[in-house]
Amino acid sequence: MTLAQKQTIQNRFKLKAKTWERIDDILTPIVTLFILLALWQLFSAFNQNLPGPIKVVQDTWKLILYPFYDRGGTDKGLFWQVWASLQRVLIGYSIAAVVGITVGVIIGLNKRAYKGLDPIFQILRTVPPLAWVPIALAALQQNQPAALFVIFITAVWPILINTAVGVKQIPQDYINVSQVLQLPRGEFFFKVLFPAALPYIFTGLRIAIGLAWLAIIAAEIVMSGIVGIGFFIWNAYQNGQVSEIILALVYIGLVGWGLDKLMAWLQNKILPAQR
Amino acid sequence: MTFVTVDNVEKTFDLNGGGTYIALKGIDLTIEEGEFISLIGHSGCGKSTLLNMVAGLDLPTDGVVMLQGEQVLRPGPDRMVVFQNYSLLPWLTVRENIRLAVKNVLKNLSKEEQDAVVEKHIDLVGLRHAADKPPEQLSGGMKQRVAIARALAIRPKLLLLDEPFGALDALTRGNLQEQLMKICEENKVTAIMVTHDVDEAILLSDRVVMLTNGPESNIGQLMTVDIPRPRKRMEVVNHPNYYLYRSEIIYFLNQQKLVKKLRSRKQTVLAKHGLEKVNLEIGFLPLTACAPIVIAKEKGFFAHHGLDEVNLVRESSWRGIQDGIAGGYLDAALMPAGMPVWMTVGGMDNKPIPVATSLTLTRNGNAIALDKRFADQGIRTLSDLKRFLRETPDKKHIFGVAHVASSHNLLLRYWLASGGINPDKDVEILALPPAQMIANLQSGTIDGYSIGEPWATRAVVEEIGYEIATDIEIWNGHPGKVLGVQEEWALKYPNTHVALVKALLEACQYCADPANHGEVREILAQSEYLAMDHEYIYLSDEQQATCSVTNDSRQLSHHIFFGGSANRPSRTENLWLLTQLARWGDVAFPRNWVEVLERVCKVGVFSIAARELGLSEIANYSRGTIELFDGQKFTADDPISYLNHLEIKHDVYMADVMLDVAMPKAA
């Protein structure tokens, strides 16, 4: 066997090993999933109140097949339910992002503001989303704005705090450069401060999107009579349709996971690889 | 008007645990337009802090920094900084980084003009190919080039560089240094650079500012680097003064390290056996003349006289001895004969430090050596040398000596002057550490030297030079090396002082006995002392050598360690040394010379020591008139008319030397 042949075989072997690893990466979770489903099925045989996976699919077959149906009122396909929730999240989250970044920059730059406000923010940030619902409803009287407020108030803290920290942590070198060059405020903000704080801001945004999605489900469960995946679950519970609840949970999980991946992708796209 | 003025600047920092740390104190520095200045010092000496204060990034606690008469209160583009870690914005490309600076500083230019400036500076540092890359895709050297381009593009009045090449590999660093030098020379940039690289400082600077260690760092020394520009990195090292500059800076840095070490060491005074202090630090230079000190230690003479803990400190230059005694780090030291009077009358930075001597350790043992090239010209005598110098007026001839106050220097000058050669005008005399003489002679940096043994003999043995005159021919029996202590020390530890003189006097006697010569030479040859073959170490006239360069057999210079009046300190001799120091303008001649001699020559201590050793015959021996080879007589009666009588001399100054009143302090 010549050396060249030997190398080709080795290369082929290497390639094979790599493909195998890929396949392994995909197969392992799938197999694990099936094992878990099987366990669940087994468990449900002893517990009549919790339907097994097969029963769930049988019960909700229609909902799975027709996610886009719309019979008016709150009787809509799961896509529309999720879409309505997502819309609320996007609005509330956008407001939170704008307010959070702006206020974060201001208190990050102003030492006294940071000193005064930081403890308050640290306390408010630990208040659970659900606790905001009653006060939101009482103050705003209507379901829609109240839901937006709950999302906003949940998502704003991580954005705000991370931005403030990011602004405070700008390397002294960059500050020195801008001081020596006497950069005007606008130039300093957009060319130095904002890009330097961007990794921190993104971390905040990513945490916040998870929290916002969490908050909307909680908010919608309490606010009856609106279209949304949260209220859908609550409605299903009231009617004793446990299989529908389980299907909705799957949807919520998938959407939440998708949102996080989206933010991660955005972060990679926008943030240049630094240092 | 000076360009940059740093006036009495002080910087203190608040410490976490309360209290303050004084980083810099009393910094005074003026910089002319177009000058390149380096700040050098150990880590933590505050050199970057000083740079930041000039930049305006940091404000002095006290004092002012001025640029063209205007106080620096905040950072500005007229004082652009090239930061240590480049400080490029990673989200901008090379071009955008430079443009950001140009756009915001050169606002009066049109956009096209700004772009032209940006492109010109990209080309200036040779980064055309990388102009659109973000910094993280560049090597360290390229990033630093971007930082330099960015700094130069905005045409600062003053360029500040904070260890600009510290993080680069040697090759890149060398190339960048040359580029920077070229750019600075072409654009007449005034610059201040912080560095810890000695060669970099010499290569780039017009002046090197050496900072002492903190706390309270200040400017320890200012050195002008007089090497013509344009300079080339590979050629600068060949400049005759390059190694002089280099050793100057390295000496300074080493001295700072030593001071730090000595500061941290606990100084306790051990009193024992009725002596006030038995733990002594004694400084010496690796010369044959250090034999008595070495023998006193090795053969137990110190211990015999109760000095149990004597530590010998080997210095490489007389400056180390001088600074060690002045700073109090050394208790006593081997000194060239002229050093006690020289220090006492203020030879060191015009600050009189009373130094006493109570023992002459050696006489003779010095010689004037010339490069063997001179032998080929047939130069055998002083008059030959004078003729040769007259024939080659365009060439500068340089002689090395160990110290201005050493007898080598004074004898060399006396010898030259008596032959009609002005040592300051017809030749150049340079102070170099003794151990560097051979290397400098070989490299052609110096043409000859006057030095103590073994260095003159070594040139002969190694056939690179020859002795044109030995001290036997100039002034036989002249004082060579003496024991020196601060007068204050002598008054504080009188019994220790006598014990020290007794131990050394016995050691001198031991060294002078031919029966011991073999052993003494072996001991001196050891690595902790002279660290050279004992072949080079001559102790007596029995060892004759034929000089292979000139093929004549002559007596090589050698020392007298003991006998007759050899060891007694002499006022007349010290006065002669003083007249010679004044003759060459090193010090002013003290009007109160009687007082000076009284303070320097502790004849009493010597007499007590000699008598206690039972050597009363040498205790009272007195020297009369001094007569040198040219027949000139010197008596202690009228030194001033003697000085006036001398033909070749520098302008002689007279002054009153204010000496502190000597007060014995309680030990």
Side-chain angles (χ1 to χ4, degrees), chain B residues 171-184:
Chain B
L171 194 68
T172 318
R173 191 187 309 153
N175 288 334
L176 269 187
Q177 284 167 348
E178 289 215 325
Q179 281 189 21
L180 176 68
M181 204 161 37
K182 207 169 130 234
I183 293 167
C184 286

Side-chain angles (χ1 to χ4, degrees), chain A residues 173-177 179-184 187 190-193 195-197 272-275, chain B residues 57 74-77 79-81 83 85 87-91 100-101 103-105 136 150 154:
Chain A
D173 297 331
Y174 302 159
I175 304 224
N176 283 348
V177 167
Q179 280 185 347
V180 170
L181 295 177
Q182 290 180 347
L183 293 186
E187 197 83 336
F190 287 108
K191 289 280 169 62
V192 180
L193 184 135
Q274 274 169 27
R275 267 149 289 171
Chain B
L57 290 166
R74 61 199 183 105
R79 283 156 282 123
M80 184 59 188
V81 187
F83 297 94
N85 39 15
S87 293
L88 301 174
L89 301 177
W91 44 86
L100 179 72
K103 194 177 116 193
N104 287 293
V105 176
E136 90 250 17
R150 177 176 66 180
I154 60 172

